[in-house]
Tab-separated table of all heavy atoms in Angstrom:
chain	number	residue	atom	x	y	z
A	590	LEU	N	0.781	26.449	-39.070
A	590	LEU	CA	0.327	26.554	-37.731
A	590	LEU	C	-0.911	25.646	-37.655
A	590	LEU	O	-1.835	25.777	-38.475
A	590	LEU	CB	-0.062	27.969	-37.390
A	590	LEU	CG	1.033	29.026	-37.608
A	590	LEU	CD1	0.593	30.421	-37.323
A	590	LEU	CD2	2.284	28.671	-36.852
A	591	ARG	N	-0.999	24.778	-36.673
A	591	ARG	CA	-2.018	23.823	-36.605
A	591	ARG	C	-3.233	24.214	-35.638
A	591	ARG	O	-2.931	24.903	-34.634
A	591	ARG	CB	-1.534	22.445	-36.019
A	591	ARG	CG	-0.565	21.764	-37.123
A	591	ARG	CD	-0.136	20.390	-36.506
A	591	ARG	NE	0.430	19.685	-37.554
A	591	ARG	CZ	-0.205	18.706	-38.273
A	591	ARG	NH1	-1.416	18.510	-38.029
A	591	ARG	NH2	0.435	18.069	-39.342
A	592	ALA	N	-4.331	23.770	-35.979
A	592	ALA	CA	-5.523	24.079	-35.263
A	592	ALA	C	-5.311	23.598	-33.861
A	592	ALA	O	-4.763	22.483	-33.593
A	592	ALA	CB	-6.808	23.389	-35.785
A	593	GLY	N	-5.567	24.470	-32.754
A	593	GLY	CA	-5.487	23.963	-31.434
A	593	GLY	C	-4.072	24.118	-30.804
A	593	GLY	O	-3.887	23.739	-29.673
A	594	SER	N	-3.235	24.624	-31.569
A	594	SER	CA	-1.850	24.654	-31.116
A	594	SER	C	-1.397	26.175	-30.694
A	594	SER	O	-1.967	27.147	-31.072
A	594	SER	CB	-0.767	24.311	-32.247
A	594	SER	OG	-0.815	25.342	-33.220
A	595	LEU	N	-0.496	26.087	-29.685
A	595	LEU	CA	0.162	27.550	-29.192
A	595	LEU	C	1.494	27.476	-29.684
A	595	LEU	O	2.342	26.530	-29.431
A	595	LEU	CB	-0.051	27.472	-27.670
A	595	LEU	CG	0.711	28.651	-27.004
A	595	LEU	CD1	-0.001	30.003	-27.377
A	595	LEU	CD2	0.657	28.539	-25.491
A	596	VAL	N	1.872	28.599	-30.442
A	596	VAL	CA	3.182	28.812	-31.029
A	596	VAL	C	3.664	30.068	-30.311
A	596	VAL	O	3.058	31.132	-30.310
A	596	VAL	CB	3.080	28.891	-32.524
A	596	VAL	CG1	4.452	29.204	-33.073
A	596	VAL	CG2	2.448	27.651	-33.014
A	597	LEU	N	4.936	29.930	-29.821
A	597	LEU	CA	5.548	31.040	-29.140
A	597	LEU	C	6.769	31.507	-29.986
A	597	LEU	O	7.507	30.670	-30.699
A	597	LEU	CB	6.095	30.808	-27.781
A	597	LEU	CG	5.115	30.288	-26.736
A	597	LEU	CD1	5.845	30.111	-25.431
A	597	LEU	CD2	4.007	31.268	-26.606
A	598	VAL	N	6.849	32.834	-30.343
A	598	VAL	CA	7.996	33.506	-30.975
A	598	VAL	C	8.748	34.456	-29.938
A	598	VAL	O	8.233	35.252	-29.454
A	598	VAL	CB	7.470	34.351	-32.127
A	598	VAL	CG1	8.609	34.997	-32.956
A	598	VAL	CG2	6.670	33.536	-33.046
A	599	ALA	N	10.009	34.040	-29.786
A	599	ALA	CA	10.776	34.656	-28.781
A	599	ALA	C	11.961	35.324	-29.447
A	599	ALA	O	12.407	35.033	-30.545
A	599	ALA	CB	11.246	33.657	-27.715
A	600	GLY	N	12.628	36.132	-28.635
A	600	GLY	CA	13.923	36.829	-29.115
A	600	GLY	C	14.118	38.101	-28.362
A	600	GLY	O	13.160	38.657	-27.738
A	601	ALA	N	15.285	38.665	-28.431
A	601	ALA	CA	15.525	39.886	-27.771
A	601	ALA	C	14.911	41.041	-28.513
A	601	ALA	O	14.456	40.926	-29.663
A	601	ALA	CB	17.080	40.069	-27.657
A	602	GLN	N	14.947	42.218	-27.847
A	602	GLN	CA	14.357	43.411	-28.578
A	602	GLN	C	14.955	43.732	-29.860
A	602	GLN	O	16.288	43.724	-29.933
A	602	GLN	CB	14.307	44.598	-27.551
A	602	GLN	CG	13.609	45.864	-28.174
A	602	GLN	CD	13.649	46.922	-27.062
A	602	GLN	OE1	14.224	46.746	-25.911
A	602	GLN	NE2	13.044	48.034	-27.529
A	603	GLY	N	14.164	44.132	-30.889
A	603	GLY	CA	14.777	44.613	-32.057
A	603	GLY	C	15.207	43.510	-33.055
A	603	GLY	O	15.731	43.830	-34.206
A	604	LEU	N	14.771	42.261	-32.752
A	604	LEU	CA	15.285	41.159	-33.716
A	604	LEU	C	14.141	40.767	-34.655
A	604	LEU	O	14.362	39.824	-35.461
A	604	LEU	CB	15.667	40.009	-32.971
A	604	LEU	CG	17.022	40.231	-32.108
A	604	LEU	CD1	17.385	38.815	-31.338
A	604	LEU	CD2	18.194	40.486	-33.070
Side-chain angles (χ1 to χ4, degrees):
L590 308 179
R591 287 181 170 267
S594 68
L595 174 61
V596 180
L597 303 183
V598 181
Q602 184 177 0
L604 291 179

